[in-house]
Amino acid sequence: MLYAIIAVDTPESLERRLEARPAHLERLRELHDAGRLVLAGPHPAIDAADPGSAGFTGSLVVAEFTDLDTARAWAEADPYRTAGVYAEVEVRPFKQVFPPTAD
């Protein structure tokens, strides 16, 4: 099943985000390579693809996990979470409607 991982950054966390980014991206690559990642990305703090020093306000990951507990455990182990970038992380079941899937 798919799950949406919705994270909210702590204030002034851009430096920690940049430091933890390689490890964070590696985990996302693993999901992608396993065919389990639907989408992932940050929420810029301003209306710009590259917000520069304004940074980000959080992130969204939609991926497949066996169950809600597994998705929550994966989210809690994220390098952004352990580095103090994420102040809050919510994990919810997600039903993809568009684009349609093959099942």
Side-chain angles (χ1 to χ4, degrees), residues 17-51:
R17 177 182 269 273
L18 295 175
E19 289 172 7
R21 188 170 190 262
H24 171 77
L25 292 179
E26 180 56 33
R27 292 180 86 235
L28 291 172
R29 271 189 211 95
E30 290 171 6
L31 284 178
H32 179 267
D33 291 349
R36 297 172 41 209
L37 182 65
V38 174
L39 63 89
H43 302 285
I46 60 173
D47 190 11
D50 181 359

Side-chain angles (χ1 to χ4, degrees), residues 70-90:
T70 303
R72 285 181 175 150
W74 187 92
E76 285 300 318
D78 191 283
Y80 283 172
R81 184 68 160 158
T82 58
V85 174
Y86 291 158
E88 301 172 34
V89 177
E90 184 176 358

Side-chain angles (χ1 to χ4, degrees), residues 52-63:
S53 63
F56 301 90
T57 61
S59 300
L60 172 65
V61 175
V62 177

